[in-house]
Amino acid sequence: MVLSKRQLFVLLTAASTFISVAAQPLKVLSTQPIPGNGVQQMNILQAMILGFVQGVTEFLPISSTAHLKVVPVVLGWGDPGVAFTAIIQLGSIAAVLWYFRLDLTRLLKGGWSAIARKDYADYDLRLCLGILLGTLPIVFCGLLIKKFIPDFDNSPIRSLAAIAIASIVMSLLLGLAEILGKRQRDFETLTMKDGLLMGLAQSLSLIPGVSRSGSTLTAGLFIGLQRETAARFSFLLGIPAITLAGLVELKDFLDQGVVDAGITSLVVGVISSTVFSYLAIAGLLRFLKTHSNWVFIWYRLIFGILILAAIRMGLLINS
């Protein structure tokens, strides 16, 4: 029997997931201590590079959190810390706000006008409400984590092995979405229900390695959206979530003392993130008009397997 490419993908991905996890002992999600606290001071060059990593990976379905954790560790810089990575996300939000400025202006004006007319069936108003509804799940789950898992940033779920497994699992789900998704609905067919469903998927991105854009793009394909439509709405849906996360971390950062934390490096990181985020948004939307997500699917699969292999061989510490 000759297997099709899709059948071969499902079999290989399922087998890779099983083998990768089975190859590790049951303590695969436990972290190992590293010298110091694992959070390093970033110099200007490092901040610029991490801004590039943030900008390129925030809107591609490959997880910015995973790459901001893995890249500096592989380069020997240490974990830059959750606060640093969350704040340079403000560069990504600046980029998406600028890129979609016309869409956002139309939506806000249209939604406000619909409220004034009491036209609650207006498309712009419903889309605004869909974005708001879609933001509630990640805010709710984030608050729960803050309350019940106060040391979440240092928990085993942020370990390299956990990130690798999340990357592998999400590659499988995105692959299935590519196979099963109808891809018949355009941007004008979006509903509040779509916003809520993609918002629920977005809340999964609180798990490092899942990818906010990856989870929402996957959900969008499963509910029948075209690739470009799913990506476009994913970007709009991410605006409130990324902004809130960045502002909260910025407040904590400022409370700890600006001078000691390295404000210059942080500014450089934000600027770098802004530039490369804008390029990534434009590039991905253009790419998805004529291409599928298979390049990202295979990348995530290989990325996860390589991390697990490096941990297994002792090349990386599962921190």
Side-chain angles (χ1 to χ4, degrees):
M1 180 179 66
V2 179
L3 295 177
S4 68
K5 290 182 178 179
R6 291 182 174 183
Q7 291 172 325
L8 181 62
F9 166 75
V10 174
L11 288 175
L12 286 176
T13 309
S16 298
T17 304
F18 174 78
I19 293 171
S20 300
V21 176
Q24 302 290 325
L26 291 178
K27 61 180 181 180
V28 68
L29 294 182
S30 65
T31 60
Q32 299 177 23
I34 60 176
N37 58 13
V39 180
Q40 305 297 324
Q41 180 77 25
M42 296 291 109
N43 60 40
I44 292 178
L45 178 60
Q46 292 170 338
M48 186 181 298
I49 293 174
L50 291 183
F52 163 78
V53 173
Q54 161 65 28
V56 170
T57 60
E58 176 64 43
F59 297 105
L60 300 184
I62 57 176
S63 179
S64 61
T65 304
H67 286 77
L68 285 171
K69 170 86 174 183
V70 172
V71 170
V73 170
V74 170
L75 294 176
W77 301 345
D79 188 346
V82 175
F84 183 91
T85 56
I87 293 170
I88 63 174
Q89 285 182 344
L90 293 176
S92 295
I93 203 62
V96 75
L97 285 172
W98 180 252
Y99 189 90
F100 290 107
R101 62 192 183 281
L102 298 180
D103 301 76
L104 291 171
T105 300
R106 178 181 65 82
L107 286 175
L108 292 175
K109 286 184 176 179
W112 183 258
S113 176
I115 293 175
R117 300 192 314 268
K118 296 184 179 180
D119 181 9
Y120 302 114
D122 180 81
Y123 171 77
D124 290 335
L125 177 59
R126 288 187 289 110
L127 193 56
C128 288
L129 292 175
I131 292 174
L132 291 176
L133 283 174
T135 303
L136 294 179
I138 195 169
V139 171
F140 178 73
C141 292
L143 291 174
L144 286 181
I145 290 174
K146 285 283 186 181
K147 182 174 180 60
F148 296 105
I149 315 178
D151 198 30
F152 179 76
D153 294 342
N154 298 311
S155 67
I157 203 168
R158 283 199 83 239
S159 67
L160 291 178
I163 287 174
I165 292 173
S167 183
I168 293 171
V169 171
M170 288 306 298
S171 72
L172 172 61
L173 291 177
L174 183 55
L176 290 176
E178 272 289 333
I179 294 171
L180 302 177
K182 301 298 183 182
R183 299 189 295 277
Q184 297 174 340
R185 300 171 54 204
D186 60 20
F187 203 79
E188 300 303 318
T189 66
L190 287 169
T191 65
M192 288 189 288
K193 180 181 178 182
D194 296 326
L196 181 58
L197 290 174
M198 291 181 68
L200 290 171
Q202 180 176 246
S203 64
L204 296 176
S205 66
L206 292 170
I207 302 173
V210 166
S211 170
R212 191 203 59 78
S213 58
S215 60
T216 50
L217 180 57
T218 299
L221 293 177
F222 271 127
I223 60 179
L225 299 181
Q226 296 172 354
R227 295 186 185 98
E228 185 189 6
T229 296
R232 194 176 191 87
F233 187 63
S234 168
F235 297 157
L236 293 173
L237 181 62
I239 290 175
I242 301 173
T243 302
L244 288 172
L247 291 177
V248 169
E249 293 296 343
L250 179 61
K251 178 182 179 300
D252 293 341
F253 178 84
L254 294 175
D255 289 342
Q256 293 172 4
V258 176
V259 177
D260 293 338
I263 187 65
T264 303
S265 295
L266 188 62
V267 170
V268 170
V270 171
I271 293 174
S272 176
S273 171
T274 303
V275 173
F276 290 106
S277 290
Y278 187 92
L279 295 175
I281 294 169
L284 181 63
L285 290 177
R286 189 180 302 112
F287 178 83
L288 291 179
K289 286 182 179 180
T290 55
H291 297 80
S292 70
N293 287 289
W294 287 103
V295 62
F296 305 119
I297 293 166
W298 287 111
Y299 175 85
R300 296 200 66 163
L301 179 63
I302 296 171
F303 179 74
I305 292 175
L306 286 178
I307 293 174
L308 290 179
I311 294 172
R312 184 66 173 177
M313 292 185 292
L315 300 177
L316 286 177
I317 298 176
N318 186 28
S319 59

